[in-house]
Amino acid sequence: MTDKQRFHEILQRGKRMVFFGGAGVSTECGIPDFRGTDGLYHQQYDYPPEVMLSHSFYVSHPEEFFRFYREKMLYLDARPGVTHKKVAELEQQGKLQAVVTQNIDGLHQMAGSTNVLELHGSVHRNYCTRCGRCFPAEFIRDSEGVPVCTSCGGTVKPDVVLYEEGLDSRTLDRAVQAIRTADVLIVAGTSLSVYPAASLTGYFAGDALVVLNKTPTPLDRQADLVLSIPMAEAWE
């Protein structure tokens, strides 16, 4: 039996699966990751990406933050890829109980998944830091400089978790509960190097742990199956 056949056998067998995904899930949709060949860490900026996406940089250099954010974080024309669609199908079949994602692009929801736990927030939610009014991602994209609330003049901030900011505790708790009760955990498109998100896989105690990633991860030795092929191929 090939590794792909084993993967499909696990998918058939699973009843309470959780899909834990990172940036590699969306690279097939044209959204670059951080550490890949064309990722942000291999591009030249005045500051490293993790600095420009930090809370302190957002506060001290707001115009530069939003310029970088618009150029490198907003991919509003992107559409779900094969993996997003296959994961949504598993949920519709009643086999998958949650998607836990480190991505902020909203593509899982666009593909039809409904129980999506966004650890790092979403570009599609933006709020005025003064009055709380909500704005769509297009408002940020189409504004210039620092986006300003049309109601009160306050700064409109993306509801994404920046470096130096903590994860939402309710989302974190729901993710832990989903992983803890899963019978199959599929970890896909992530190097598992960003904490605390990467530590969530430690709560898994189910039957099958699958790692689907092009490069090695810290979980490979514990996994029941490791697939190092292009992600879309795994679902064929």
Side-chain angles (χ1 to χ4, degrees):
M1 183 181 293
T2 67
D3 285 347
K4 277 176 60 173
Q5 288 172 331
R6 288 181 61 201
F7 178 52
H8 285 271
E9 184 183 62
I10 290 170
L11 294 180
Q12 287 292 326
R13 196 170 66 235
K15 296 179 180 178
R16 298 184 314 280
M17 293 187 281
V18 168
F19 182 87
F20 181 97
V25 177
S26 293
T27 52
E28 64 181 25
C29 308
I31 300 178
D33 61 9
F34 271 51
R35 294 170 177 81
T37 306
D38 299 316
L40 294 179
Y41 283 121
H42 296 278
Q43 300 178 27
Q44 296 299 315
Y45 296 99
D46 293 338
Y47 304 89
E50 68 270 23
V51 171
M52 299 183 80
L53 292 173
S54 68
H55 179 81
S56 55
F57 193 85
Y58 161 79
V59 172
S60 61
H61 299 75
E63 292 210 358
E64 287 185 72
F65 168 85
F66 279 104
R67 181 172 61 83
F68 180 80
Y69 180 84
R70 289 187 188 97
E71 289 178 0
K72 298 301 178 183
M73 295 290 109
L74 288 182
Y75 290 86
L76 303 186
D77 293 331
R79 292 296 176 264
V82 172
T83 300
H84 298 100
K85 294 173 183 176
K86 292 294 185 180
V87 170
E89 287 176 12
L90 290 173
E91 182 188 314
Q92 290 156 12
Q93 293 165 9
K95 300 171 70 67
L96 186 134
Q97 62 179 359
V99 173
V100 180
T101 181
Q102 299 175 79
N103 297 337
I104 59 175
D105 51 45
L107 292 180
H108 280 292
Q109 292 94 326
M110 197 181 297
S113 293
T114 59
N115 190 23
V116 182
L117 305 177
E118 297 172 309
L119 298 175
H120 297 151
S122 172
V123 299
H124 297 285
R125 295 189 300 271
N126 304 274
Y127 64 95
C128 173
T129 54
R130 184 183 297 170
C131 73
R133 180 177 174 183
C134 297
F135 293 86
E138 289 78 9
F139 180 83
I140 302 289
R141 180 194 65 192
D142 299 337
S143 59
E144 295 182 5
V146 179
V148 173
C149 176
T150 53
S151 294
C152 74
T155 300
V156 178
K157 182 180 184 294
D159 187 15
V160 299
V161 179
L162 303 176
Y163 288 96
E164 304 168 349
E165 294 180 343
L167 303 190
D168 179 75
S169 60
R170 289 173 297 179
T171 303
L172 207 54
D173 289 345
R174 290 176 62 196
V176 167
Q177 180 63 17
I179 292 171
R180 183 179 278 152
T181 58
D183 61 349
V184 174
L185 178 62
I186 303 169
V187 178
T190 173
S191 60
L192 293 173
S193 58
V194 176
Y195 286 81
S199 64
L200 295 180
T201 59
Y203 290 95
F204 179 67
D207 300 328
L209 171 60
V210 178
V211 174
L212 175 54
N213 201 55
K214 284 185 178 180
T215 57
T217 79
L219 269 187
D220 289 3
R221 289 187 178 183
Q222 303 169 43
D224 297 283
L225 176 63
V226 177
L227 285 167
S228 302
I229 60 177
M231 197 167 303
E233 284 185 23
W235 305 94
E236 294 175 348

